[in-house]
Amino acid sequence: MTSPSDLRQAFGQFGTGVAIIAFHDRESRPVGITVNSFASVSLEPPLLSWCLDNNSHLYPDVAAIERFSVNILAADQLDLSNRMAGAGSHILAADEFEAGTADTPLLRGALAQFDCHIRHKVEVGDHIMLIGGIDKAAHCPLNRAPLMYFRGTYVGLELEPQNG
Ligand SMILES: Cc1cc2nc3c(=O)[nH]c(=O)nc-3n(C[C@H](O)[C@H](O)[C@H](O)COP(=O)(O)O)c2cc1C
């Protein structure tokens, strides 16, 4: 049987981008949480997913949401990523977001923004999986470096294609 620590290290070999999920909490405050469990799911219909730890203090808020956004972070958003990953520091400042569909907060300066409604909430193991229907997607046309995460730490990414 693989230990949770070995499993965490094995999962960590999968280099990912970093996203902030933004939504309104139960007190209508705009909040964000840093995740790397984002995945594209379907083009037609347009769907994506992400997962939240059952132990997150945001769990009761997420269990109640009807809308959220996924914001793919650029390398220059490392400080925001750290802030939204710290316990008890999830409130977004007014100048950090703009209003999307039905007031969903969309983060300024992100490489891409997905404005979503909830399609499914699935309790799976020690996480809840959120599957979102994408109402609107936007992306930055500039060749900006993404924020990346690998083996438990942020890493830089060479933007030159590696075609062998
Ligand atoms: C790069 C990175 C990726 C993360 N990915 C996830 C994730 O996919 N799901 C999750 O629940 N928490 C994830 N976290 C942890 C949360 O961002 C946050 O640290 C944690 O939820 C803090 O506890 P709280 O939610 O109780 O405030 C990630 C943290 C970092 C730094």
Side-chain angles (χ1 to χ4, degrees):
M1 192 72 176
T2 308
S3 72
S5 144
D6 284 343
L7 189 54
R8 184 184 293 273
Q9 288 186 42
F11 280 151
Q13 300 290 347
F14 186 53
T16 66
V18 180
I20 289 179
I21 309 300
F23 54 91
H24 284 106
D25 70 7
R26 287 168 298 165
E27 292 170 54
S28 299
R29 297 174 302 189
V31 294
I33 180 168
T34 302
V35 305
N36 66 343
S37 54
F38 163 75
S40 54
V41 172
S42 164
L43 283 176
E44 194 52 58
L47 299 171
L48 55 72
S49 71
W50 62 283
C51 296
L52 179 75
D53 193 316
N54 289 348
N55 290 318
S56 168
H57 87 274
L58 288 174
Y59 185 95
D61 295 294
V62 169
I65 55 173
E66 293 177 4
R67 301 197 60 84
F68 64 86
S69 70
V70 178
N71 305 273
I72 308 298
L73 298 189
D76 61 11
Q77 293 180 301
L78 175 59
D79 288 349
L80 182 62
S81 179
N82 275 330
R83 218 178 88 223
M84 293 298 136
S89 61
H90 294 272
I91 298 181
L92 294 164
D95 62 353
E96 289 176 323
F97 66 93
E98 58 205 58
T101 310
D103 221 20
T104 308
L106 304 175
L107 288 196
R108 296 185 200 278
L111 292 185
Q113 302 164 324
F114 300 93
D115 188 340
C116 303
H117 62 273
I118 292 284
R119 271 289 289 268
H120 303 285
K121 289 179 189 165
V122 191
E123 291 183 21
V124 276
D126 57 12
H127 280 61
I128 182 170
M129 175 179 263
L130 290 302
I131 298 176
I134 303 166
D135 295 317
K136 198 168 175 193
H139 70 278
C140 172
L142 304 174
N143 192 27
R144 289 166 63 213
L147 186 59
M148 302 295 295
Y149 201 70
F150 179 56
R151 297 176 73 179
T153 191
Y154 295 104
V155 292
L157 175 71
E158 190 61 61
L159 281 182
E160 292 300 312
Q162 308 286 304
N163 290 327

